[in-house]
mmCIF file of all heavy atoms in Angstrom:
data_model
loop_
_atom_site.group_PDB
_atom_site.id
_atom_site.type_symbol
_atom_site.label_atom_id
_atom_site.label_comp_id
_atom_site.label_asym_id
_atom_site.label_seq_id
_atom_site.Cartn_x
_atom_site.Cartn_y
_atom_site.Cartn_z
ATOM 1 N N TYR A 1 -58.510 -339.624 -159.138
ATOM 2 C CA TYR A 1 -57.149 -340.240 -158.952
ATOM 3 C C TYR A 1 -55.947 -339.372 -159.308
ATOM 4 O O TYR A 1 -54.889 -339.376 -158.607
ATOM 5 C CB TYR A 1 -57.098 -341.554 -159.820
ATOM 6 C CG TYR A 1 -58.002 -342.673 -159.248
ATOM 7 C CD1 TYR A 1 -59.451 -342.597 -159.388
ATOM 8 C CD2 TYR A 1 -57.477 -343.779 -158.696
ATOM 9 C CE1 TYR A 1 -60.242 -343.590 -158.969
ATOM 10 C CE2 TYR A 1 -58.341 -344.902 -158.276
ATOM 11 C CZ TYR A 1 -59.619 -344.722 -158.439
ATOM 12 O OH TYR A 1 -60.472 -345.697 -157.882
ATOM 13 N N LEU A 2 -56.139 -338.602 -160.351
ATOM 14 C CA LEU A 2 -55.088 -337.667 -160.752
ATOM 15 C C LEU A 2 -54.925 -336.637 -159.709
ATOM 16 O O LEU A 2 -53.774 -336.050 -159.432
ATOM 17 C CB LEU A 2 -55.360 -337.108 -162.072
ATOM 18 C CG LEU A 2 -55.169 -338.090 -163.295
ATOM 19 C CD1 LEU A 2 -55.659 -337.411 -164.490
ATOM 20 C CD2 LEU A 2 -53.713 -338.509 -163.435
ATOM 21 N N THR A 3 -55.927 -336.119 -159.061
ATOM 22 C CA THR A 3 -55.890 -335.137 -158.012
ATOM 23 C C THR A 3 -55.172 -335.819 -156.744
ATOM 24 O O THR A 3 -54.283 -335.127 -156.219
ATOM 25 C CB THR A 3 -57.301 -334.704 -157.542
ATOM 26 O OG1 THR A 3 -57.954 -334.028 -158.671
ATOM 27 C CG2 THR A 3 -57.213 -333.646 -156.387
ATOM 28 N N TYR A 4 -55.449 -336.925 -156.491
ATOM 29 C CA TYR A 4 -54.670 -337.685 -155.391
ATOM 30 C C TYR A 4 -53.144 -337.787 -155.752
ATOM 31 O O TYR A 4 -52.333 -337.546 -154.963
ATOM 32 C CB TYR A 4 -55.264 -339.100 -155.198
ATOM 33 C CG TYR A 4 -56.625 -339.193 -154.619
ATOM 34 C CD1 TYR A 4 -57.342 -340.382 -154.847
ATOM 35 C CD2 TYR A 4 -57.219 -338.218 -153.944
ATOM 36 C CE1 TYR A 4 -58.630 -340.574 -154.447
ATOM 37 C CE2 TYR A 4 -58.547 -338.378 -153.487
ATOM 38 C CZ TYR A 4 -59.219 -339.521 -153.655
ATOM 39 O OH TYR A 4 -60.424 -339.764 -153.247
ATOM 40 N N PHE A 5 -52.983 -338.110 -156.967
ATOM 41 C CA PHE A 5 -51.438 -338.118 -157.410
ATOM 42 C C PHE A 5 -50.785 -336.883 -157.354
ATOM 43 O O PHE A 5 -49.692 -336.698 -156.859
ATOM 44 C CB PHE A 5 -51.412 -338.736 -158.870
ATOM 45 C CG PHE A 5 -51.664 -340.184 -159.077
ATOM 46 C CD1 PHE A 5 -51.883 -340.726 -160.284
ATOM 47 C CD2 PHE A 5 -51.830 -341.090 -157.995
ATOM 48 C CE1 PHE A 5 -52.176 -341.976 -160.681
ATOM 49 C CE2 PHE A 5 -52.125 -342.416 -158.280
ATOM 50 C CZ PHE A 5 -52.331 -342.866 -159.529
ATOM 51 N N ASP A 6 -51.524 -335.757 -157.828
ATOM 52 C CA ASP A 6 -50.886 -334.445 -157.792
ATOM 53 C C ASP A 6 -50.614 -333.946 -156.425
ATOM 54 O O ASP A 6 -49.479 -333.475 -156.094
ATOM 55 C CB ASP A 6 -51.795 -333.480 -158.536
ATOM 56 C CG ASP A 6 -51.142 -332.078 -158.637
ATOM 57 O OD1 ASP A 6 -50.124 -332.026 -159.421
ATOM 58 O OD2 ASP A 6 -51.711 -331.215 -158.021
ATOM 59 N N THR A 7 -51.575 -334.177 -155.520
ATOM 60 C CA THR A 7 -51.367 -333.710 -154.040
ATOM 61 C C THR A 7 -50.178 -334.522 -153.501
ATOM 62 O O THR A 7 -49.329 -333.967 -152.758
ATOM 63 C CB THR A 7 -52.661 -333.983 -153.301
ATOM 64 O OG1 THR A 7 -53.716 -333.228 -153.933
ATOM 65 C CG2 THR A 7 -52.520 -333.526 -151.828
ATOM 66 N N ALA A 8 -50.137 -335.817 -153.736
ATOM 67 C CA ALA A 8 -49.173 -336.662 -153.161
ATOM 68 C C ALA A 8 -47.702 -336.300 -153.669
ATOM 69 O O ALA A 8 -46.804 -336.219 -153.003
ATOM 70 C CB ALA A 8 -49.394 -338.206 -153.353
ATOM 71 N N ILE A 9 -47.635 -335.873 -155.105
ATOM 72 C CA ILE A 9 -46.405 -335.467 -155.573
ATOM 73 C C ILE A 9 -45.975 -334.213 -154.936
ATOM 74 O O ILE A 9 -44.819 -334.042 -154.581
ATOM 75 C CB ILE A 9 -46.557 -335.270 -157.007
ATOM 76 C CG1 ILE A 9 -46.614 -336.689 -157.741
ATOM 77 C CG2 ILE A 9 -45.354 -334.621 -157.672
ATOM 78 C CD1 ILE A 9 -47.098 -336.558 -159.166
ATOM 79 N N THR A 10 -46.862 -333.230 -154.628
ATOM 80 C CA THR A 10 -46.445 -331.973 -153.972
ATOM 81 C C THR A 10 -45.883 -332.361 -152.592
ATOM 82 O O THR A 10 -44.908 -331.772 -152.114
ATOM 83 C CB THR A 10 -47.683 -331.155 -153.806
ATOM 84 O OG1 THR A 10 -48.230 -330.782 -155.072
ATOM 85 C CG2 THR A 10 -47.463 -329.863 -153.037
ATOM 86 N N GLU A 11 -46.609 -333.248 -151.857
ATOM 87 C CA GLU A 11 -46.082 -333.679 -150.517
ATOM 88 C C GLU A 11 -44.845 -334.393 -150.580
ATOM 89 O O GLU A 11 -43.879 -334.280 -149.681
ATOM 90 C CB GLU A 11 -47.186 -334.441 -149.803
ATOM 91 C CG GLU A 11 -48.412 -333.597 -149.491
ATOM 92 C CD GLU A 11 -48.168 -332.330 -148.792
ATOM 93 O OE1 GLU A 11 -47.275 -332.361 -147.816
ATOM 94 O OE2 GLU A 11 -48.805 -331.369 -148.999
ATOM 95 N N TYR A 12 -44.549 -335.231 -151.624
ATOM 96 C CA TYR A 12 -43.260 -335.859 -151.842
ATOM 97 C C TYR A 12 -42.150 -334.836 -151.878
ATOM 98 O O TYR A 12 -41.198 -334.961 -151.194
ATOM 99 C CB TYR A 12 -43.373 -336.688 -153.141
ATOM 100 C CG TYR A 12 -41.997 -337.242 -153.597
ATOM 101 C CD1 TYR A 12 -41.706 -338.559 -153.149
ATOM 102 C CD2 TYR A 12 -41.147 -336.564 -154.444
ATOM 103 C CE1 TYR A 12 -40.441 -339.185 -153.676
ATOM 104 C CE2 TYR A 12 -40.015 -337.161 -154.741
ATOM 105 C CZ TYR A 12 -39.664 -338.416 -154.433
ATOM 106 O OH TYR A 12 -38.438 -338.948 -154.908
ATOM 107 N N PHE A 13 -42.385 -333.842 -152.720
ATOM 108 C CA PHE A 13 -41.275 -332.790 -152.782
ATOM 109 C C PHE A 13 -41.066 -331.996 -151.620
ATOM 110 O O PHE A 13 -39.983 -331.565 -151.134
ATOM 111 C CB PHE A 13 -41.435 -331.905 -154.032
ATOM 112 C CG PHE A 13 -41.062 -332.618 -155.235
ATOM 113 C CD1 PHE A 13 -41.964 -333.147 -156.066
ATOM 114 C CD2 PHE A 13 -39.703 -332.603 -155.692
ATOM 115 C CE1 PHE A 13 -41.586 -333.843 -157.263
ATOM 116 C CE2 PHE A 13 -39.301 -333.382 -156.786
ATOM 117 C CZ PHE A 13 -40.172 -333.992 -157.624
ATOM 118 N N ARG A 14 -42.242 -331.815 -150.782
ATOM 119 C CA ARG A 14 -42.126 -331.199 -149.616
ATOM 120 C C ARG A 14 -41.298 -332.018 -148.610
ATOM 121 O O ARG A 14 -40.468 -331.497 -147.802
ATOM 122 C CB ARG A 14 -43.449 -330.906 -148.932
ATOM 123 C CG ARG A 14 -43.486 -330.059 -147.713
ATOM 124 C CD ARG A 14 -44.934 -329.844 -147.067
ATOM 125 N NE ARG A 14 -46.029 -329.696 -148.058
ATOM 126 C CZ ARG A 14 -46.339 -328.565 -148.737
ATOM 127 N NH1 ARG A 14 -45.677 -327.441 -148.405
ATOM 128 N NH2 ARG A 14 -47.397 -328.509 -149.544
ATOM 129 N N ALA A 15 -41.515 -333.314 -148.511
ATOM 130 C CA ALA A 15 -40.793 -334.201 -147.719
ATOM 131 C C ALA A 15 -39.262 -334.365 -148.054
ATOM 132 O O ALA A 15 -38.421 -334.538 -147.190
ATOM 133 C CB ALA A 15 -41.315 -335.642 -147.840
ATOM 134 N N LEU A 16 -38.922 -334.001 -149.310
ATOM 135 C CA LEU A 16 -37.610 -333.883 -149.756
ATOM 136 C C LEU A 16 -36.933 -332.595 -149.311
ATOM 137 O O LEU A 16 -35.785 -332.313 -149.363
ATOM 138 C CB LEU A 16 -37.386 -334.084 -151.271
ATOM 139 C CG LEU A 16 -37.539 -335.299 -151.895
ATOM 140 C CD1 LEU A 16 -37.484 -335.226 -153.409
ATOM 141 C CD2 LEU A 16 -36.379 -336.264 -151.367
ATOM 142 N N ASP A 17 -37.742 -331.666 -148.680
ATOM 143 C CA ASP A 17 -37.291 -330.320 -148.365
ATOM 144 C C ASP A 17 -36.963 -329.539 -149.666
ATOM 145 O O ASP A 17 -35.980 -328.765 -149.624
ATOM 146 C CB ASP A 17 -36.256 -330.225 -147.386
ATOM 147 C CG ASP A 17 -36.146 -329.034 -146.607
ATOM 148 O OD1 ASP A 17 -37.183 -328.290 -146.503
ATOM 149 O OD2 ASP A 17 -34.952 -328.644 -146.092
ATOM 150 N N TYR A 18 -37.744 -329.779 -150.674
ATOM 151 C CA TYR A 18 -37.429 -329.023 -151.996
ATOM 152 C C TYR A 18 -38.325 -327.821 -152.083
ATOM 153 O O TYR A 18 -39.645 -328.033 -152.109
ATOM 154 C CB TYR A 18 -37.645 -329.983 -153.151
ATOM 155 C CG TYR A 18 -37.371 -329.303 -154.518
ATOM 156 C CD1 TYR A 18 -36.163 -328.846 -154.949
ATOM 157 C CD2 TYR A 18 -38.449 -329.135 -155.480
ATOM 158 C CE1 TYR A 18 -35.900 -328.357 -156.219
ATOM 159 C CE2 TYR A 18 -38.264 -328.568 -156.646
ATOM 160 C CZ TYR A 18 -36.986 -328.124 -157.024
ATOM 161 O OH TYR A 18 -36.886 -327.548 -158.273
ATOM 162 N N ASP A 19 -37.876 -326.653 -152.217
ATOM 163 C CA ASP A 19 -38.674 -325.449 -152.326
ATOM 164 C C ASP A 19 -39.123 -325.302 -153.802
ATOM 165 O O ASP A 19 -38.570 -324.460 -154.505
ATOM 166 C CB ASP A 19 -37.997 -324.173 -151.923
ATOM 167 C CG ASP A 19 -38.856 -322.928 -151.929
ATOM 168 O OD1 ASP A 19 -40.083 -323.027 -152.160
ATOM 169 O OD2 ASP A 19 -38.184 -321.889 -151.629
ATOM 170 N N TYR A 20 -40.185 -326.014 -154.223
ATOM 171 C CA TYR A 20 -40.593 -326.004 -155.585
ATOM 172 C C TYR A 20 -40.862 -324.543 -156.064
ATOM 173 O O TYR A 20 -40.352 -324.128 -157.140
ATOM 174 C CB TYR A 20 -41.805 -326.878 -155.714
ATOM 175 C CG TYR A 20 -42.364 -327.113 -157.171
ATOM 176 C CD1 TYR A 20 -41.878 -328.206 -157.858
ATOM 177 C CD2 TYR A 20 -43.066 -326.070 -157.785
ATOM 178 C CE1 TYR A 20 -42.331 -328.428 -159.204
ATOM 179 C CE2 TYR A 20 -43.436 -326.335 -159.181
ATOM 180 C CZ TYR A 20 -43.043 -327.497 -159.826
ATOM 181 O OH TYR A 20 -43.448 -327.696 -161.137
ATOM 182 N N LEU A 21 -41.808 -323.874 -155.452
ATOM 183 C CA LEU A 21 -42.150 -322.493 -155.916
ATOM 184 C C LEU A 21 -41.012 -321.554 -155.822
ATOM 185 O O LEU A 21 -40.791 -320.634 -156.727
ATOM 186 C CB LEU A 21 -43.271 -321.977 -155.036
ATOM 187 C CG LEU A 21 -44.652 -322.664 -155.289
ATOM 188 C CD1 LEU A 21 -45.782 -322.113 -154.402
ATOM 189 C CD2 LEU A 21 -45.012 -322.582 -156.782
ATOM 190 N N GLY A 22 -40.130 -321.568 -154.837
ATOM 191 C CA GLY A 22 -38.988 -320.871 -154.724
ATOM 192 C C GLY A 22 -38.109 -321.029 -155.925
ATOM 193 O O GLY A 22 -37.477 -320.121 -156.406
ATOM 194 N N GLU A 23 -37.926 -322.306 -156.285
ATOM 195 C CA GLU A 23 -37.050 -322.677 -157.373
ATOM 196 C C GLU A 23 -37.506 -322.113 -158.729
ATOM 197 O O GLU A 23 -36.751 -321.538 -159.497
ATOM 198 C CB GLU A 23 -36.707 -324.212 -157.511
ATOM 199 C CG GLU A 23 -35.759 -324.635 -156.444
ATOM 200 C CD GLU A 23 -34.395 -324.025 -156.518
ATOM 201 O OE1 GLU A 23 -33.767 -324.091 -157.605
ATOM 202 O OE2 GLU A 23 -33.930 -323.488 -155.459
ATOM 203 N N VAL A 24 -38.850 -322.216 -158.896
ATOM 204 C CA VAL A 24 -39.494 -321.666 -160.116
ATOM 205 C C VAL A 24 -39.215 -320.224 -160.139
ATOM 206 O O VAL A 24 -38.880 -319.638 -161.228
ATOM 207 C CB VAL A 24 -40.939 -322.087 -160.171
ATOM 208 C CG1 VAL A 24 -41.595 -321.321 -161.326
ATOM 209 C CG2 VAL A 24 -41.114 -323.479 -160.289
ATOM 210 N N ALA A 25 -39.448 -319.478 -159.099
ATOM 211 C CA ALA A 25 -39.255 -317.997 -159.012
ATOM 212 C C ALA A 25 -37.790 -317.683 -159.267
ATOM 213 O O ALA A 25 -37.604 -316.678 -159.911
ATOM 214 C CB ALA A 25 -39.765 -317.414 -157.659
ATOM 215 N N ARG A 26 -36.934 -318.377 -158.601
ATOM 216 C CA ARG A 26 -35.478 -318.101 -158.832
ATOM 217 C C ARG A 26 -34.969 -318.410 -160.175
ATOM 218 O O ARG A 26 -34.066 -317.627 -160.657
ATOM 219 C CB ARG A 26 -34.638 -318.890 -157.672
ATOM 220 C CG ARG A 26 -33.226 -318.557 -157.569
ATOM 221 C CD ARG A 26 -32.505 -319.403 -156.508
ATOM 222 N NE ARG A 26 -32.457 -320.725 -156.843
ATOM 223 C CZ ARG A 26 -31.630 -321.332 -157.799
ATOM 224 N NH1 ARG A 26 -30.859 -320.527 -158.415
ATOM 225 N NH2 ARG A 26 -31.619 -322.603 -157.923
ATOM 226 N N THR A 27 -35.316 -319.472 -160.824
ATOM 227 C CA THR A 27 -34.645 -320.015 -161.993
ATOM 228 C C THR A 27 -35.540 -319.715 -163.279
ATOM 229 O O THR A 27 -34.935 -319.745 -164.378
ATOM 230 C CB THR A 27 -34.361 -321.452 -161.925
ATOM 231 O OG1 THR A 27 -35.575 -322.256 -161.939
ATOM 232 C CG2 THR A 27 -33.540 -321.763 -160.813
ATOM 233 N N GLY A 28 -36.843 -319.534 -163.125
ATOM 234 C CA GLY A 28 -37.670 -319.439 -164.313
ATOM 235 C C GLY A 28 -37.871 -320.793 -164.984
ATOM 236 O O GLY A 28 -38.540 -320.923 -166.050
ATOM 237 N N ILE A 29 -37.592 -321.905 -164.258
ATOM 238 C CA ILE A 29 -37.721 -323.243 -164.771
ATOM 239 C C ILE A 29 -38.789 -323.847 -164.070
ATOM 240 O O ILE A 29 -38.895 -323.886 -162.827
ATOM 241 C CB ILE A 29 -36.423 -324.083 -164.588
ATOM 242 C CG1 ILE A 29 -35.265 -323.356 -165.236
ATOM 243 C CG2 ILE A 29 -36.592 -325.507 -165.253
ATOM 244 C CD1 ILE A 29 -34.820 -323.455 -166.594
ATOM 245 N N ASP A 30 -39.775 -324.441 -164.720
ATOM 246 C CA ASP A 30 -40.865 -325.237 -164.130
ATOM 247 C C ASP A 30 -40.981 -326.568 -164.833
ATOM 248 O O ASP A 30 -40.470 -326.709 -165.879
ATOM 249 C CB ASP A 30 -42.205 -324.425 -164.191
ATOM 250 C CG ASP A 30 -43.226 -324.769 -163.179
ATOM 251 O OD1 ASP A 30 -43.065 -325.835 -162.538
ATOM 252 O OD2 ASP A 30 -44.254 -324.179 -163.082
ATOM 253 N N PHE A 31 -41.808 -327.415 -164.289
ATOM 254 C CA PHE A 31 -42.049 -328.654 -164.906
ATOM 255 C C PHE A 31 -43.492 -328.622 -165.491
ATOM 256 O O PHE A 31 -44.470 -328.132 -164.969
ATOM 257 C CB PHE A 31 -42.020 -329.791 -163.833
ATOM 258 C CG PHE A 31 -40.672 -330.090 -163.402
ATOM 259 C CD1 PHE A 31 -40.206 -329.476 -162.234
ATOM 260 C CD2 PHE A 31 -39.787 -330.876 -164.178
ATOM 261 C CE1 PHE A 31 -38.843 -329.817 -161.807
ATOM 262 C CE2 PHE A 31 -38.516 -331.101 -163.707
ATOM 263 C CZ PHE A 31 -38.020 -330.608 -162.574
ATOM 264 N N HIS A 32 -43.549 -329.198 -166.715
ATOM 265 C CA HIS A 32 -44.787 -329.438 -167.380
ATOM 266 C C HIS A 32 -45.110 -330.821 -167.483
ATOM 267 O O HIS A 32 -44.254 -331.718 -167.654
ATOM 268 C CB HIS A 32 -44.729 -328.994 -168.898
ATOM 269 C CG HIS A 32 -44.600 -327.410 -169.010
ATOM 270 N ND1 HIS A 32 -44.516 -326.773 -170.180
ATOM 271 C CD2 HIS A 32 -44.438 -326.441 -167.972
ATOM 272 C CE1 HIS A 32 -44.506 -325.462 -170.013
ATOM 273 N NE2 HIS A 32 -44.342 -325.249 -168.657
ATOM 274 N N THR A 33 -46.344 -331.207 -167.162
ATOM 275 C CA THR A 33 -46.810 -332.676 -167.356
ATOM 276 C C THR A 33 -47.005 -333.006 -168.715
ATOM 277 O O THR A 33 -47.767 -332.272 -169.451
ATOM 278 C CB THR A 33 -48.069 -332.770 -166.457
ATOM 279 O OG1 THR A 33 -47.926 -332.485 -165.092
ATOM 280 C CG2 THR A 33 -48.539 -334.338 -166.614
ATOM 281 N N VAL A 34 -46.268 -334.066 -169.177
ATOM 282 C CA VAL A 34 -46.474 -334.503 -170.656
ATOM 283 C C VAL A 34 -47.170 -335.827 -170.692
ATOM 284 O O VAL A 34 -47.483 -336.249 -171.816
ATOM 285 C CB VAL A 34 -45.053 -334.432 -171.292
ATOM 286 C CG1 VAL A 34 -44.520 -333.047 -171.364
ATOM 287 C CG2 VAL A 34 -44.253 -335.428 -170.721
ATOM 288 N N LYS A 35 -47.213 -336.506 -169.583
ATOM 289 C CA LYS A 35 -47.946 -337.755 -169.653
ATOM 290 C C LYS A 35 -48.551 -338.083 -168.241
ATOM 291 O O LYS A 35 -47.912 -337.819 -167.211
ATOM 292 C CB LYS A 35 -46.990 -338.949 -169.932
ATOM 293 C CG LYS A 35 -47.597 -340.352 -169.952
ATOM 294 C CD LYS A 35 -46.592 -341.434 -170.240
ATOM 295 C CE LYS A 35 -47.181 -342.786 -170.307
ATOM 296 N NZ LYS A 35 -46.320 -343.814 -170.595
ATOM 297 N N SER A 36 -49.781 -338.561 -168.253
ATOM 298 C CA SER A 36 -50.598 -339.031 -167.016
ATOM 299 C C SER A 36 -51.234 -340.371 -167.317
ATOM 300 O O SER A 36 -51.869 -340.457 -168.334
ATOM 301 C CB SER A 36 -51.616 -338.038 -166.641
ATOM 302 O OG SER A 36 -51.124 -336.857 -166.400
ATOM 303 N N LEU A 37 -50.837 -341.325 -166.609
ATOM 304 C CA LEU A 37 -51.407 -342.652 -166.762
ATOM 305 C C LEU A 37 -52.030 -343.175 -165.343
ATOM 306 O O LEU A 37 -51.318 -343.058 -164.309
ATOM 307 C CB LEU A 37 -50.319 -343.661 -167.225
ATOM 308 C CG LEU A 37 -50.632 -345.097 -167.265
ATOM 309 C CD1 LEU A 37 -51.668 -345.365 -168.439
ATOM 310 C CD2 LEU A 37 -49.451 -345.889 -167.498
#
């Protein structure tokens, strides 16, 4: 279920046209998961 969630979240940000990896490389800021339910 968490794998399904993680994959869908990646696709959500892709649908927003957000370049996740590009932003991490550009800014040095990434997101850490602190809660999974």
